[in-house]
Amino acid sequence: MDLGIAGKTALVAASTGGLGLAVARALAAEGVRVAIVGRRRDRAKEIVAELQAAYGTGVSGASGIATKGFDAVAIEADLTTPEGIESAVEQTVADLGPIDILVLNGPGPKPGAAATLSSDDIAAAFDLLVKPQHALVSHVLPGMRERRWGRILAIGSSGVTAPLPNLAVSNTGRAALAGYLKTLAAEVALDEVTVNLLLPGRIATDRVTQLDQAAAKRRGTTLEDIQLESRKTIPARRYGEPAEFGAAAAFLCSAPASYITGVALRCDGGLIRSL
């Protein structure tokens, strides 16, 4: 399938690792010009070099599209600050052109139970998972609406559908973000801008390993035992691969997905049992 996004420009937040990097790689494979944004300058530069070597010229992608003219840029920015957000957007536009695809992503907050949440924890949920995403959208949405084409995709969590144990801060902030984005999707649909969420289950990233390690410590067992137990709860009986998540994200950002908006799509191997 030709995803029809070669030559578009994407800003992928928190893309120096984990799911953000998986999405950036999938978009690059389709000829999208990608801004790799994160706090680790050296790592961002390594990723840009990798992408340019793989997709800078020739043919790539599932559809065999020509990727000549592909480019990527490394941007060091703290996207939890207004200054970092403004800098990342300005540099992306200056180096790659107007932003057509915005991928919202960020670090997960600390684990913790709902019964022990403090007022600072509630504030942190919004500071990490709502305010930066809203600010990014506010910067890029006017241009998308004016050009009558845009894709806004948030990397969320299956906790949006079924709140996850011991992740109360994450559950709170991600649910609030989902409510904002669902509302926004209806408001901008006439402008040919889609707004969706992609919800991972147990994808094999460093973040999931950290959560498994925390669970092992809390329960006095081993990481291997926790991972085995976790796999048994997944109908696919395995953790997902980052590339599988990236492929789903690329489709939601594509031209053929133009009639899909306001959706929270799960990529979880059947982990969440509701429809």
Side-chain angles (χ1 to χ4, degrees), residues 48-269:
V48 165
E50 168 202 320
L51 296 179
Q52 288 176 333
Y55 308 118
T57 58
V59 173
S60 187
S63 58
I65 61 170
T67 59
K68 186 175 181 180
F70 163 82
D71 200 2
V73 63
I75 299 176
E76 180 183 15
D78 180 354
L79 296 181
T80 65
T81 69
E83 298 79 12
I85 290 168
E86 184 173 356
S87 174
V89 170
E90 290 180 350
Q91 189 173 338
T92 300
V93 173
D95 292 347
L96 301 177
I99 297 168
D100 305 295
I101 298 169
L102 173 63
V103 180
L104 302 172
N105 186 33
K110 66 179 183 179
T116 61
L117 285 181
S118 67
S119 58
D120 288 342
D121 291 329
I122 295 296
F126 283 83
D127 288 344
L128 286 173
L129 299 172
V130 181
K131 291 171 65 176
Q133 289 79 352
H134 171 264
L136 279 166
V137 169
S138 297
H139 275 81
V140 306
L141 182 60
M144 290 179 174
R145 301 182 81 173
E146 182 178 349
R147 296 188 300 275
R148 297 190 60 77
W149 202 98
R151 300 289 183 264
I152 297 171
L153 178 66
I155 298 176
S157 163
S158 56
V160 170
T161 304
L164 300 171
N166 204 50
L167 288 177
V169 176
S170 177
N171 293 335
T172 300
R174 294 189 194 281
L177 177 63
Y180 160 65
L181 293 176
K182 176 63 175 176
T183 307
L184 179 67
E187 296 173 356
V188 301
L190 279 176
D191 299 312
E192 305 295 335
V193 177
T194 69
V195 184
N196 293 296
L197 294 94
L198 185 57
L199 311 181
R202 307 292 289 174
I203 310 294
T205 63
D206 290 343
R207 164 69 171 169
V208 169
T209 298
Q210 291 169 0
L211 291 174
D212 285 345
Q213 289 172 333
K217 182 178 181 180
R218 188 170 62 251
R219 294 169 52 182
T221 186
T222 67
L223 173 63
E224 291 73 19
D225 285 343
I226 291 293
Q227 291 174 333
L228 177 61
E229 180 180 315
S230 182
R231 287 194 294 271
K232 289 180 179 179
T233 69
I234 305 170
R237 291 297 187 270
R238 64 178 179 87
Y239 286 9
E241 294 297 326
E244 294 173 311
F245 186 89
F251 176 74
L252 288 175
C253 294
S254 73
S258 60
Y259 203 57
I260 301 174
T261 194
V263 166
L265 174 68
R266 296 196 300 271
C267 181
D268 67 357

Side-chain angles (χ1 to χ4, degrees), residues 15-18 20-29 32 34 36 40-57 60 67 70-74 242-243:
S15 49
T16 55
L21 176 55
V23 174
R25 284 174 170 155
L27 292 174
V32 176
V34 180
I36 302 298
R40 297 179 290 172
R41 178 190 295 271
D42 291 343
R43 179 57 181 147
K45 288 182 176 180
E46 289 173 1
I47 294 166
V48 165
E50 168 202 320
L51 296 179
Q52 288 176 333
Y55 308 118
T57 58
S60 187
T67 59
F70 163 82
D71 200 2
V73 63

